[in-house]
Amino acid sequence: MEAEQSKSKGWCWWLLVMIIAAVVITQTSLLLWRNFDKKDSGNFHQAHGPINDTYANAFSIAMQFFDVQKSGKLVNNKIAWRKDSGLEDGKEEKLDLSKGLYDAGDHMKFGFPMAFTATILSWAILEYGQQMQRVKELEHAQESLKWITDYLINAHPSENVLYIQVGDAMLDHDCWERPEDMKERRPLTQVNTSYPGTDVAAETAAAMASASLVFKSIDSTYSQNLLKHAKELFAFADAFRGLYSKSIIRVQDYYNSSGYGDELLWAAAWLYRATGEESFLSYVTKRNGDSFANWGSPSWFSWDNKLAGTQVLLSRVSFLSSKAIPEEENLNLQLYRKTAEIFLCSLLPDSPTATSSRTRGGLIWVTEWDTNQYAMASAFLAVIYSDYMFNSQTPTIYCSGKLYEPMDLREFAISQLEYVLGNNPMKMSYLVGYGNVFPQYVHHRGASIPLNAKTGCKDGFKWLNSTDVNPNIVVGALVGGPFLNETYNDLRNNSKQGEPTTYNSALLVGVLSGMLSTP
Ligand SMILES: *[C@@H]1O[C@H](CO)[C@@H](O)[C@H](O)[C@H]1NC(C)=O
Ligand SMILES: *[C@@H]1O[C@H](CO)[C@@H](O)[C@H](O)[C@H]1NC(C)=O
Ligand SMILES: *[C@@H]1O[C@H](CO)[C@@H](O)[C@H](O)[C@H]1NC(C)=O
Ligand SMILES: *[C@@H]1O[C@H](CO)[C@@H](O)[C@H](O)[C@H]1NC(C)=O
Ligand SMILES: *[C@@H]1O[C@H](CO)[C@@H](O)[C@H](O)[C@H]1NC(C)=O
Ligand SMILES: *[C@@H]1O[C@H](CO)[C@@H](O)[C@H](O)[C@H]1NC(C)=O
């Protein structure tokens, strides 16, 4: 009783003190948050130069591939030969997995590369959304991203379960049909605590964390939901470690993962950018950095390996963050930046450490399968890094005795773009629908089958075999690309060179968005 009384005596004062404290705290945190928001939700790069119409045109074309690949009940569909499909996907587990994008020329929904597509698209929007807005494509980009993240949210029904695939590759590849006509079973595949998938769960966390920044100022509830999923998935990925392609052997034939350390660092780096929480910075700079970052040894950026992307993303912190970072963490942050620069130096064609992995015409060339992916991924990192340099007034990078300016990185990116858009020995654009000459026999079911065809699963193969050009133009597809000797066989059964993927288009869209205007 006594205690009660003395409490009520001082009550007024306490209330006043608490109100003042609350106001001060909210104001300060709002202020901090706003500053952080302004910096970290992107559009850093204020490019006021004129819009380059050539690139603006290529950009609008490339963006259309996301519309072509959409599964589900279509909204405002602009692709004349596409309709609703995959409406039952997920039903057998009482989930709605009808959205998302078909991976490539087939109708699989592979979660690992689809999430990577989303992360790249988010990154492009965060850095270059302002330029996208100037060419009236920002909403289109946001909406394409949301088509994937809506799917990813539904694919994560509880903390430690993530559905990573819709469709069975054997059943799917046994048919040649339009997505609208699919009749085969589309089973679901999940990772969980007994069959973990650190790589795929962490990539999905990266996609959701980056997308949470994109949607922060548009739909804060959606953004917070994405962040919640991202954090849960990251915790799941980290606690139950294993390669998804070891847990589920049959995925090895398509998207075999070579490691999960890169995805853990990539996801933590995105979560750091999305939240500013110290724990994510320590994650990448301390023990897990030591184990997985491979400092000093560059690697190609692709759906399988995110290290180069992580290095560039974390370089941003040392270039642009105003926060004080503890000494030990800062040392390792510098190692990320150093490794990014070793990678970038290798891309510059006249640098002392230039890679020999390129064609005579100058295209970065890594594998016979889908080589354009590596060229576009390299160009995307180069243009982002050049803009981090511009924005932080960093005049040069050092490459074994020679100094290079941000403009050199940008010129490298332009050289890769120009090549894929037609300045190459085949005198052909590898971006479908762009220019006068582009692949006519793209390995893509929907594009190869006339709208009025009555064929089904098996007899549909006559369209794969047909020597006629594709009846539908698969606008925005970026095909796999040339051989090392710079030849390209435009044959429908040539999936090595002639199959497009969603991440190819995301990477190309990323490079183009950085080129829409001049720094
Ligand atoms: C715009 O892009 C075209 C096509 O590659 C290029 O030739 C031209 O120099 C660019 N213009 C500007 C102003 O950057
Ligand atoms: C966990 O995932 C594996 C591999 O996808 C699957 O076979 C198994 O049924 C899942 N476990 C549960 C409890 O659903
Ligand atoms: C998948 O990668 C693992 C190594 O990570 C390798 O042992 C395996 O042979 C690969 N599978 C296929 C089908 O290439
Ligand atoms: C398509 O060609 C393959 C061999 O190239 C053949 O086995 C198959 O019967 C053909 N299918 C149709 C429907 O023409
Ligand atoms: C180019 O390379 C491909 C793949 O290695 C090969 O099949 C083709 O014969 C080569 N073409 C020429 C003209 O050398
Ligand atoms: C691919 O198609 C071409 C012509 O359409 C044909 O000559 C070739 O044999 C086919 N290759 C395979 C592996 O089916």
Side-chain angles (χ1 to χ4, degrees):
M1 277 314 266
E2 233 164 309
E4 277 296 321
Q5 258 184 0
S6 73
K7 231 191 235 168
S8 66
K9 255 193 235 160
W11 191 83
C12 271
W13 283 111
W14 275 114
L15 190 67
L16 198 64
V17 169
M18 272 163 71
I19 288 173
I20 292 171
V23 168
V24 169
I25 289 168
T26 344
Q27 286 299 324
T28 341
S29 61
L30 263 181
L31 208 72
L32 284 173
W33 184 247
R34 274 207 205 101
N35 280 338
F36 180 68
D37 188 27
K38 202 159 55 188
K39 288 201 117 164
D40 284 39
S41 66
N43 297 350
F44 228 108
H45 183 62
Q46 307 283 320
H48 298 297
I51 290 291
N52 184 319
D53 292 333
T54 309
Y55 293 144
N57 176 34
F59 183 81
S60 322
I61 289 171
M63 278 298 303
Q64 292 180 55
F65 191 58
F66 304 122
D67 301 328
V68 167
Q69 296 303 99
K70 274 182 181 172
S71 165
K73 178 138 195 59
L74 304 184
V75 183
N76 297 326
N77 174 34
K78 296 195 177 60
I79 308 295
W81 48 277
R82 281 301 329 278
K83 294 198 169 52
D84 299 350
S85 65
L87 296 176
E88 308 281 295
D89 284 359
K91 275 221 169 124
E92 63 181 74
E93 305 274 336
K94 300 197 171 51
L95 298 171
D96 178 2
L97 298 180
S98 62
K99 283 187 173 181
L101 303 183
Y102 299 123
D103 179 58
D106 58 2
H107 303 141
M108 292 297 294
K109 293 181 193 166
F110 289 116
F112 193 36
M114 201 200 303
F116 178 62
T117 298
T119 313
I120 296 301
L121 199 49
S122 293
W123 201 357
I125 295 171
L126 291 173
E127 305 294 346
Y128 302 115
Q130 193 203 22
Q131 281 92 303
M132 294 182 187
Q133 174 115 53
R134 287 175 68 194
V135 300
K136 301 192 169 45
E137 285 283 355
L138 178 60
E139 275 179 36
H140 188 184
Q142 289 161 343
E143 176 263 331
S144 304
L145 173 62
K146 190 163 181 291
W147 203 265
I148 304 179
T149 51
D150 284 353
Y151 167 89
L152 294 176
I153 288 172
N154 289 354
H156 182 223
S158 64
E159 273 180 53
N160 296 338
V161 172
L162 175 68
Y163 285 86
I164 54 116
Q165 186 168 307
V166 177
D168 173 286
M170 293 264 269
L171 294 176
D172 188 277
H173 292 188
D174 236 19
C175 296
W176 191 270
E177 62 200 340
R178 294 160 18 88
E180 293 79 1
D181 299 333
M182 285 189 292
K183 300 271 188 311
E184 69 275 14
R185 260 179 4 95
R186 291 176 61 74
L188 309 180
T189 307
Q190 61 165 246
V191 292
N192 49 46
T193 54
S194 329
Y195 293 82
T198 297
D199 31 28
V200 64
E203 180 60 64
T204 309
M208 289 169 139
S210 57
S212 79
L213 282 171
V214 169
F215 295 109
K216 191 148 142 186
S217 58
I218 306 168
D219 182 344
S220 66
T221 312
Y222 189 70
S223 165
Q224 281 162 21
N225 190 26
L226 284 171
L227 196 54
K228 175 177 148 280
H229 281 281
K231 286 181 166 181
E232 284 179 6
L233 278 167
F234 179 71
F236 169 49
D238 191 36
F240 297 89
R241 290 190 179 186
L243 288 173
Y244 92 121
S245 44
K246 209 170 154 201
S247 292
I248 303 160
I249 300 293
R250 66 179 189 283
V251 304
Q252 289 194 4
D253 291 338
Y254 297 91
Y255 289 100
N256 196 8
S257 171
S258 62
Y260 56 69
D262 55 325
E263 279 88 14
L264 282 173
L265 299 176
W266 172 240
W270 274 112
L271 279 160
Y272 180 61
R273 181 161 171 181
T275 64
E277 286 168 22
E278 173 62 26
S279 62
F280 295 115
L281 186 63
S282 352
Y283 190 95
V284 296
T285 50
K286 294 193 173 160
R287 189 161 46 85
N288 293 292
D290 290 329
S291 312
F292 301 128
N294 227 349
W295 289 308
S297 311
S299 48
W300 297 108
F301 187 41
S302 72
W303 61 261
D304 184 25
N305 189 334
K306 320 306 167 16
L307 283 180
T310 308
Q311 291 146 16
V312 170
L313 184 62
L314 289 173
S315 300
R316 182 177 180 279
V317 180
S318 62
F319 275 129
L320 301 167
S321 176
S322 51
K323 282 192 195 168
I325 289 164
E327 187 56 28
E328 185 201 341
E329 308 198 348
N330 198 36
L331 276 174
N332 285 346
L333 263 188
Q334 295 306 323
L335 290 178
Y336 279 105
R337 180 163 158 185
K338 193 72 225 141
T339 313
E341 292 186 3
I342 295 173
F343 173 68
L344 295 163
C345 288
S346 82
L347 300 178
L348 297 170
D350 67 347
S351 110
T353 54
T355 175
S356 58
S357 300
R358 62 184 102 219
T359 67
R360 283 183 63 174
L363 184 74
I364 289 296
W365 196 92
V366 178
T367 60
E368 284 203 338
W369 281 92
D370 197 15
T371 200
N372 278 339
Q373 173 194 194
Y374 298 92
M376 290 301 99
S378 303
F380 184 49
L381 296 184
V383 69
I384 290 182
Y385 204 85
S386 77
D387 284 323
Y388 290 167
M389 290 176 72
F390 280 125
N391 282 311
S392 60
Q393 277 137 29
T394 307
T396 53
I397 58 170
Y398 176 82
C399 302
S400 301
K402 278 180 89 174
L403 290 173
Y404 290 91
E405 297 176 357
M407 214 53 196
D408 296 310
L409 290 172
R410 198 173 165 89
E411 270 160 23
F412 161 77
I414 292 177
S415 74
Q416 302 303 295
L417 252 190
E418 294 287 311
Y419 190 110
V420 302
L421 294 180
N423 187 5
N424 58 54
M426 294 296 288
K427 302 263 171 287
M428 126 191 267
S429 159
Y430 291 106
L431 170 62
V432 177
Y434 181 84
N436 298 322
V437 185
F438 51 80
Q440 301 293 318
Y441 293 88
V442 178
H443 182 91
H444 191 276
R445 288 167 209 183
S448 72
I449 304 176
L451 254 183
N452 57 7
K454 295 280 178 279
T455 49
C457 169
K458 286 289 178 201
D459 53 345
F461 276 100
K462 79 175 203 197
W463 303 112
L464 171 62
N465 294 353
S466 160
T467 53
D468 296 341
V469 300
N470 283 350
N472 309 311
I473 296 179
V474 53
V475 201
L478 178 64
V479 297
F483 284 131
L484 181 57
N485 60 22
E486 317 209 274
T487 63
Y488 179 82
N489 292 331
D490 192 7
L491 296 173
R492 199 174 288 116
N493 61 9
N494 180 10
S495 40
K496 216 183 246 182
Q497 293 190 285
E499 186 165 15
T501 58
T502 58
Y503 41 93
N504 280 10
S505 288
L507 290 161
L508 170 64
V509 155
V511 182
L512 280 166
S513 65
M515 294 299 167
L516 287 171
S517 179
T518 44

